[in-house]
Amino acid sequence: GITDYGAATNYINVYAFGGIAAVAAIVLAVAYFACNDSNLYGMINAVENIKKLPHHGVCAVLAIVCAGLAAWLSTAGIAKSLEAIASLNCVFLPTVTVIMLCEFFMISRLLGHSHDLSHVPDAASLPVVRWPAFIALFAAGLVGVLTSGVIPGTEAFHVGVCSVQAWLTAIVVYMPLRVLEHRRSVATATTNTKRYIEKLWATEAAQSVELLK
């Protein structure tokens, strides 16, 4: 097989675009623009869901940060930059989906929940942070980044397939935390119900005493 990066790029160019560099440049530019626009949209929504901030300000800050990161990656060399982007994308982006699938298929059956997908709940009815998912995502990202070997000084941890290890970490961390959260919420709801009933009984007893007087 072809192991040289330049030769591999030329082969793909000839195979996919007939060797016409202009066509390849246009297709790649459109693809990169669409991909980055989608990523920017997702990041803006993520930030604004956590805290209400000016939309244009968030967009400008994220665009500058992402452009700076892209410039920094370009100084490390094309091959190294591509490896870093591919390694980090396969760690962070699918991990969120893995957690959602874990909640839908595994946690739902384990706890006996049924999800109503017929409507989208309002942001006000949802918690600001779902801590089991947040902690699982953080742990998975940490494991994925360390085992990817992208960051200088972490070559000793570069073992296995970083993306798969990140996904498995998300599942292993999310499931027990989610079950624990469910048990605490049930215990809290039970306690609140008991307190409400006791308060209701006390009120009815006081009213009965008043009527007897």
Side-chain angles (χ1 to χ4, degrees):
I2 301 175
T3 57
D4 181 69
Y5 182 81
T9 303
N10 182 63
Y11 176 79
I12 292 298
N13 181 28
V14 173
Y15 179 80
F17 306 109
I20 305 175
V23 175
I26 293 173
V27 172
L28 290 176
V30 172
Y32 283 147
F33 179 84
C35 181
N36 289 325
D37 180 68
S38 177
N39 290 336
L40 182 61
Y41 175 78
M43 288 187 291
I44 292 173
N45 282 339
V47 172
E48 292 183 345
N49 284 334
I50 296 175
K51 184 176 179 60
K52 293 297 181 182
L53 296 171
H55 181 77
H56 291 88
V58 174
C59 180
V61 171
L62 288 177
I64 293 173
V65 171
C66 293
L69 180 61
W72 173 74
L73 288 175
S74 65
T75 60
I78 297 178
K80 190 64 177 179
S81 300
L82 180 62
E83 178 185 354
I85 294 172
S87 298
L88 297 180
N89 277 347
C90 68
V91 167
F92 289 108
L93 299 183
T95 302
V96 178
T97 304
V98 170
I99 294 174
M100 295 174 63
L101 292 176
C102 181
E103 170 71 24
F104 187 80
F105 289 105
M106 302 173 69
I107 298 297
S108 297
R109 295 182 180 180
L110 183 63
L111 302 180
H113 286 177
S114 59
H115 295 279
D116 184 11
L117 304 179
S118 61
H119 73 284
V120 179
D122 296 331
S125 64
L126 300 175
V128 177
V129 178
R130 179 70 74 177
W131 286 108
F134 180 81
I135 295 173
L137 181 61
F138 180 82
L142 182 63
V143 171
V145 170
L146 287 178
T147 57
S148 67
V150 172
I151 300 177
T154 61
E155 289 79 8
F157 301 99
H158 190 189
V159 293
V161 182
C162 61
S163 57
V164 176
Q165 292 166 167
W167 305 341
L168 293 177
T169 300
I171 295 174
V172 171
V173 173
Y174 179 71
M175 289 194 63
L177 291 179
R178 181 67 176 88
V179 172
L180 180 62
E181 180 194 48
H182 173 72
R183 290 179 178 176
R184 287 184 175 179
S185 63
V186 170
T188 301
T190 303
T191 302
N192 292 337
T193 302
K194 289 181 179 179
R195 290 177 179 176
Y196 174 77
I197 293 175
E198 292 174 355
K199 185 178 180 180
L200 183 62
W201 283 350
T203 303
E204 291 181 351
Q207 292 176 350
S208 300
V209 171
E210 291 293 333
L211 291 175
L212 291 176
K213 290 180 179 181

